[in-house]
Amino acid sequence: MPRTGIAFSGGPSPAEIVDCIKLAEQLGYESAWVAEGHGGDQFAVLAAAATQTSRILLGTSITSVFVRTAPTIAMAAATLDDLTGGRFILGVGSSHKVQVEAEHGMSYGKPLTRVRETIEVVRRLLQDGRVSYQGETVHIESFDLWFSPRRKSIPIYASAVAQKMTALCGEIADGVILTRSTLATAAIIKEQLAEGARLAGRDPGQIVVTTLLPAAVAESRREALDTLRPGLAFYTGFFLATIE
């Protein structure tokens, strides 16, 4: 399973997730991803997993660009990359208005711009160790890293659901993180990525396409699908209904 990963978004305790990641490495999974939401601090969980593994890639899926500041994301990414020995992938995204505002009390606006500017700041900090930035949504007078990152360029994937964000991934990201996609959407996604890549003069074939696919183990296909339905209904009704 060279391109198969496992992802966690809640349910198991942080310690149990670390144990699962250790097992996933033993079973040959390529990567392990940890969401945040309500499931525990993703960077803390991944840091613990980093000390217990040696090969498996570790990533965030995703880190909200509205909940954490760009310098905080850059520091966390550089820290995880150091602890993993260069096995870290930073997955970022805009999250959803209903989470950012109602659950965290942060303002949500211009998600495309916020993702673009956050990625730019993170890359500058990793590369140069310092940044001053005045964008539309991100304003930093001056910030310095007081340590040298293991890698000055860490893979950055961005999550996407709608067309404009997918095109933005094609323009600026090393990969795209989809959720609950199907084989039927593959051609559409590739074209949207290519649209953004053309704007930046990039080869769309170099953009890694990943997708989060819920799975359930049951005695029958029907039981497995019944287990998955509530999560799909919640995501569609609570989150997708808020996309403008």
Side-chain angles (χ1 to χ4, degrees):
M1 53 179 75
R3 302 295 295 178
T4 302
I6 187 168
F8 302 88
S9 60
S13 70
E16 288 172 337
I17 293 175
V18 173
D19 287 340
C20 286
I21 293 175
K22 290 166 58 179
L23 179 59
E25 179 174 78
Q26 295 169 14
L27 293 174
Y29 282 80
E30 180 193 49
S31 58
W33 303 77
V34 177
E36 196 153 57
H38 300 257
D41 184 277
Q42 58 189 175
F43 287 104
V45 174
L46 288 170
T51 66
Q52 299 294 313
T53 58
S54 61
R55 178 196 57 77
I56 194 168
L57 301 177
L58 300 176
T60 53
S61 64
I62 60 164
T63 290
S64 170
V65 298
F66 287 101
V67 173
R68 283 187 170 92
T69 67
T72 301
I73 293 173
M75 283 194 298
T79 299
L80 256 298
D81 199 54
D82 190 72
L83 292 174
T84 60
R87 291 182 285 131
F88 181 65
I89 299 172
L90 175 63
V92 301
S94 63
S95 186
H96 302 275
K97 186 175 182 178
V98 290
Q99 282 187 308
V100 172
E101 293 193 344
E103 295 182 354
H104 293 278
M106 308 296 287
S107 297
Y108 186 96
K110 297 186 176 180
L112 291 166
T113 303
R114 184 65 171 239
V115 169
R116 178 191 295 276
E117 293 182 349
T118 297
I119 290 177
E120 186 174 354
V121 169
V122 169
R123 284 185 170 144
R124 287 192 191 181
L125 268 174
L126 293 174
Q127 180 65 41
D128 303 329
R130 64 180 58 186
V131 69
S132 295
Y133 191 90
Q134 294 300 320
E136 289 185 57
T137 65
V138 177
H139 308 279
I140 300 169
E141 183 175 332
S142 181
F143 189 92
D144 297 343
L145 285 181
W146 291 358
F147 66 99
S148 297
R150 176 182 289 267
R151 290 187 293 176
K152 292 184 177 294
S153 178
I154 294 173
I156 300 178
Y157 294 6
S159 67
V161 175
Q163 178 177 352
K164 289 182 179 180
M165 190 66 81
T166 306
L168 180 65
C169 291
E171 184 181 347
I172 67 172
D174 298 301
V176 59
I177 301 174
L178 308 172
T179 183
R180 295 172 171 85
S181 58
T182 68
L183 293 175
T185 64
I188 299 172
I189 292 301
K190 287 185 177 181
E191 179 53 38
Q192 292 171 354
L193 286 172
E195 175 187 339
R198 284 193 292 267
L199 291 176
R202 304 177 67 201
D203 176 6
Q206 298 301 309
I207 302 165
V208 179
V209 179
T210 71
T211 184
L212 299 170
L213 297 174
V217 178
E219 293 295 329
S220 67
R221 176 181 175 84
R222 178 173 183 147
E223 288 178 290
L225 292 175
D226 286 344
T227 299
L228 294 173
R229 283 191 179 94
L232 177 60
F234 175 78
Y235 189 86
T236 303
F238 190 62
F239 293 136
L240 296 190
T242 64
I243 295 178
E244 299 176 353

